[in-house]
Amino acid sequence: MKAPIDFYFDFSSPYSYIANEWIDALAARHGRTVRRQAILLGVTFTAAELKSPVSYPIKRDYSLRDFQRSARFERVPYVPPETFPIPTQNAARVFWWLKETLGETAAAGWTRAGFRAFFTRGVLLNDATALKALAADAGLDADAAERAWSDPVWKDRLKRANDEAIAAGVFGAPFFVIDGEPFWGNDRKAQIEQWLTSPF
Amino acid sequence: MKAPIDFYFDFSSPYSYIANEWIDALAARHGRTVRRQAILLGVTFTAAELKSPVSYPIKRDYSLRDFQRSARFERVPYVPPETFPIPTQNAARVFWWLKETLGETAAAGWTRAGFRAFFTRGVLLNDATALKALAADAGLDADAAERAWSDPVWKDRLKRANDEAIAAGVFGAPFFVIDGEPFWGNDRKAQIEQWLTSPF
């Protein structure tokens, strides 16, 4: 039995969204499953003394262009959100609530729904009304979702996820760990595929 | 006649070294030539308010590992230099001297020689004796090379190259510009190949 691929992401990370669209099929081709870990990139940036690439003016223009080009390259629909980046703690807490009460598949479905909502329709995941509507669209009990993101249990679970990510050496997203080998970035897809075929 | 590919690099950048090993063949497959631009990454980092990835402790360990893995992935020989990074202004001035007096081919030969010396044999390009020996090995007049890197003409030429790179939006290396489209990173190879086949 091969170990699952750990996949760390933030709901506001464009490269994480793109990777979320290809990681399951890639993992399945190599007999692996994916273990998703929703985190807050701001927390790992602070721990690593880093900042978002879009916080640097010169890098920002390139990054915004590269987000779109990288999405086209992977044939993933992408509409740049007008508000970006956004705080994603509520979406991440709903993720952990689903993951720990319903399991990986429910959490993966929510991940897909959240990413697609933000990066193809500009749905503001930090807006309570919009997030409840999204939860309902995704077949969840919207009121229960709201209770979950307000619940200290899931707030703490997300904090622990951030701490565990930092301890695992995560300093950006998407970040993958495969049998202990770390891969940072949507652009490590080819290396990941090669590694799963035969570590090099 | 298709425009050449502009390739900005720093002699101390591992990802630039790896890219230098594949860019010519890739360009040739698409009827393009490569126009190399030696720059100092420290200058563009300062302009863009960035720092080297290896200056962040948490990112450093990953980067050092990723340099080696990326080299293996591209089947490029790589031996991590014990002293890293190093100042590369003298190697870059020799580059500009060759490029402007002998042309692109001579400059490309020096680029290859400098990169391979540092990243496979740990030759310190910032050491005058080592750099002169490397120039002689590369078939150059070593004393003339030393005069070139001490000459205000070539110091100024490198400064202008840095200024032009910053004006062109370069904030890291390797950095490629193809018909106005910017690509940052050795890991943009697949996108570059696709772009040269058919812009997407």
Side-chain angles (χ1 to χ4, degrees), chain B residues 136-186:
Chain B
D137 280 352
L140 305 175
D141 176 336
D143 291 324
E146 185 176 33
R147 280 194 301 276
W149 82 58
S150 309
D151 189 331
V153 169
W154 306 115
K155 291 183 177 182
D156 285 349
R157 183 63 190 86
L158 175 57
K159 278 184 197 152
R160 201 164 81 237
N162 291 330
D163 291 343
E164 288 167 353
I166 291 164
V170 173
F171 55 83
F175 203 102
F176 305 91
V177 180
I178 304 174
D179 303 334
E181 184 75 13
F183 296 88
W184 171 47
N186 173 63

Side-chain angles (χ1 to χ4, degrees), chain B residues 29-61:
Chain B
R29 281 199 291 279
H30 298 277
R32 303 268 188 158
T33 56
V34 177
R35 191 161 57 193
R36 283 175 169 75
Q37 317 271 6
I39 60 167
L40 299 181
L41 209 40
V43 176
T44 65
F45 281 153
T46 302
E49 297 171 47
L50 296 164
K51 291 198 288 180
S52 165
V54 297
S55 70
Y56 300 97
I58 298 178
K59 205 170 179 178
R60 179 181 171 90
D61 289 348

Side-chain angles (χ1 to χ4, degrees), chain A residues 15-77:
Chain A
Y15 295 128
S16 294
Y17 158 58
I18 298 168
N20 188 65
E21 295 284 327
W22 54 253
I23 186 61
D24 294 289
L26 190 157
R29 282 198 292 279
H30 298 277
R32 303 267 188 158
T33 57
V34 177
R35 190 160 58 192
R36 284 176 169 75
Q37 316 272 6
I39 60 166
L40 300 182
L41 209 38
V43 175
T44 65
F45 281 153
T46 301
E49 298 172 47
L50 295 165
K51 291 198 288 179
S52 165
V54 298
S55 70
Y56 300 96
I58 298 178
K59 205 169 180 177
R60 179 182 171 89
D61 289 348
Y62 175 83
S63 295
L64 295 178
R65 182 178 194 139
D66 192 62
F67 296 157
Q68 296 188 64
R69 189 175 62 204
S70 295
R72 292 195 305 271
F73 185 69
E74 294 294 344
R75 300 177 186 282
V76 168

Side-chain angles (χ1 to χ4, degrees), chain B residues 7-24 34-39 88 90-99 103-121 123 125 131 134-135 138 140 174 176:
Chain B
F7 168 31
Y8 299 84
F9 67 91
D10 182 313
F11 277 101
S12 186
S13 155
Y15 295 128
S16 294
Y17 158 58
I18 298 168
N20 188 64
E21 294 284 326
W22 55 252
I23 186 60
D24 295 288
V34 177
R35 191 161 57 193
R36 283 175 169 75
Q37 317 271 6
I39 60 167
T88 54
N90 287 347
R93 289 167 188 157
V94 171
F95 169 91
W96 284 107
W97 164 61
L98 291 170
K99 176 150 163 151
E104 193 68 43
T105 304
W110 174 247
T111 305
R112 191 178 311 112
F115 271 135
R116 289 183 181 177
F118 184 49
F119 287 111
T120 69
R121 304 192 306 275
V123 173
L125 307 181
L131 195 59
L134 180 66
L140 305 175
F176 305 91

Side-chain angles (χ1 to χ4, degrees), chain A:
Chain A
M1 190 63 186
K2 294 173 183 168
I5 297 172
D6 278 309
F7 168 30
Y8 299 84
F9 66 92
D10 181 312
F11 276 102
S12 185
S13 155
Y15 295 128
S16 294
Y17 158 58
I18 298 168
N20 188 65
E21 295 284 327
W22 54 253
I23 186 61
D24 294 289
L26 190 157
R29 282 198 292 279
H30 298 277
R32 303 267 188 158
T33 57
V34 177
R35 190 160 58 192
R36 284 176 169 75
Q37 316 272 6
I39 60 166
L40 300 182
L41 209 38
V43 175
T44 65
F45 281 153
T46 301
E49 298 172 47
L50 295 165
K51 291 198 288 179
S52 165
V54 298
S55 70
Y56 300 96
I58 298 178
K59 205 169 180 177
R60 179 182 171 89
D61 289 348
Y62 175 83
S63 295
L64 295 178
R65 182 178 194 139
D66 192 62
F67 296 157
Q68 296 188 64
R69 189 175 62 204
S70 295
R72 292 195 305 271
F73 185 69
E74 294 294 344
R75 300 177 186 282
V76 168
Y78 183 85
V79 179
E82 285 187 33
T83 305
F84 173 82
I86 55 169
T88 55
Q89 65 270 29
N90 286 348
R93 290 167 187 156
V94 171
F95 168 92
W96 284 107
W97 164 60
L98 291 170
K99 177 152 163 149
E100 305 239 323
T101 58
L102 295 178
E104 193 67 46
T105 304
W110 174 247
T111 305
R112 190 177 311 111
F115 271 134
R116 290 183 180 177
F118 184 48
F119 287 112
T120 70
R121 305 192 306 276
V123 173
L124 294 173
L125 307 181
N126 55 323
D127 177 85
T129 307
L131 195 59
K132 282 184 76 170
L134 181 66
D137 280 352
L140 305 176
D141 177 335
D143 291 323
E146 185 176 33
R147 281 194 300 276
W149 81 59
S150 309
D151 188 331
V153 169
W154 306 114
K155 291 182 179 184
D156 284 349
R157 183 63 190 89
L158 175 57
K159 278 186 198 151
R160 200 164 82 237
N162 291 330
D163 291 342
E164 287 168 353
I166 291 164
V170 174
F171 55 82
F175 203 101
F176 305 92
V177 180
I178 303 174
D179 302 333
E181 183 75 11
F183 296 88
W184 170 47
N186 173 62
D187 45 28
R188 285 298 171 277
K189 182 186 178 191
Q191 288 194 24
I192 290 170
E193 180 105 59
Q194 179 58 45
W195 192 271
L196 289 169
T197 304
S198 174
F200 54 94

